[in-house]
Amino acid sequence: MSGGLLIAGTTSDAGKSVVTAGICRWLVRQGVKVAPFKAQNMSLNSFVTREGAEIGRAQAMQAQAARVEPTALMNPVLLKPGGDRSSQVVLMGRPVGEMSARGYHGGRQEALLGTVLECLAELRGTYDAVICEGAGSPAEINLRRTDIVNMGIARNARLPVLVVGDIDRGGVFASFFGTVALLSREDQELVAGFLVNKFRGDVSLLEPGLDMLNGLTGRPSYGVLPFRHGLGIDEEDGLRVSLRGAVRESVVTAPAGEDVLRVAVCAVPLMSNFTDVDALAAEPGVVVRFVDRAEELTDADLVIVPGTRGTVKALQWLRERGLADAIARRAAEGRPVLGVCGGYQLLGEHIEDEVESRAGHVDGLGLLPVRVRFAREKTLARPVGEALGEPVEGYEIHHGVAEVTGGTPFLDGCRVGEVWGTHWHGSLESDGFRRAFLREVAAAAGRRFVPAADTSFAALREEQLDLLGDLIEEHADTDALLRLIESGAPSGLPFIPPGAPA
């Protein structure tokens, strides 16, 4: 078998990432050597590969679904927003500068098409199948001329396209039809059909609409995936929960001890790698919530200040909302606080930043004996070590260089009383370390909480990925999918007017 497929969506968050992961897991279980690919990703959730390249966490998750090691080839262009109008451009895993949206779409994006196609060609030469993920919608007609991630890559690589629609939002039939009808004749020739995502109810009630859609477009449905809670793993574009909601809509299972443990995560601006707390949310009896008000810290047993692409901006936000004072009071009372990456940096004494915010000297919260200087070169690493008597590993993505002048060593950072700080993302995924850390938190908080002895975050992640594979296997037309991947879009697909404007 040799081939490829592009998973496009009617909108952002239609389910492209999880569908791509599900197809990868289903294929690898069939003995197919498969790899994921996303030409251009916009996300503050990123990951460091073993060769030290930064890519989107969604592609790392999809590589895990495919049971292969993630590489920069799988996400050659990563855009990391630093505000409403500019992003850091990461090319082949390394930052190459900041650029406005106008500057990027005005010429730089199109210039990257050659690199993107080379990466895709290398993957297709190595694997039996490459499952590509699009971005946003392929019918963003204002951006089509410079597109390198949707129909631009499909046209150049002759990839068949499957369009995913989120029926839970409503309007899925109009979205499917409108998506095709706004594409040029040449683009439409590659759109093979549709996949309905997040359906609740009796599929037989949907079938007349799917038949009519087929009649209107000449393109079939390749399946209807049912709604499932908790499948939004390693998402790209932001929190898929409200600030008042529990992370990942998770159901908190009964604790192993007498008490639950409450974790409040400060929802700082430009929050990055909020997936760090997923391992905590997976623990029986641990309730994880994102908060943005000082009073929401009152009953928390642990407060986490997470990573951010805007450390100085996050610091200002914490002060404006009274959260900084609330965190300082917690520290004085000996109540646990954990800072990760940017959250660790702002807990320090002061920050010198002429790179990210260009704010110069800024006083931190002064809770840790740490001085931070922002360097132009980004630190990208996969550290391994030991803490609290347990092995632990993580990954680092930061411009800030921390000088630790006191406290007790903690990973690469330090601890003073019950305030902890580290640059390491992903450390809580190490099961023994996570349990040891939670025992410390519970003791300091006076909670009779006991970590479950058998929670394996890696095993839970595998279960999620298998569930995605099951959704494809059980609810998609897998025979038709295989033909599409191997043979490309069928010939003679009808043109749906009006097509893209000139």
Side-chain angles (χ1 to χ4, degrees), residues 1-17:
M1 178 183 184
S2 177
L5 175 66
L6 175 70
I7 305 298
T10 56
T11 62
S12 294
D13 199 30
K16 297 183 292 292
S17 294

Side-chain angles (χ1 to χ4, degrees), residues 38-53:
K38 185 160 186 173
Q40 172 198 290
N41 199 343
M42 178 174 279
S43 179
L44 288 173
N45 276 343
S46 58
F47 182 75
V48 179
T49 67
R50 295 206 179 276
E51 74 265 32

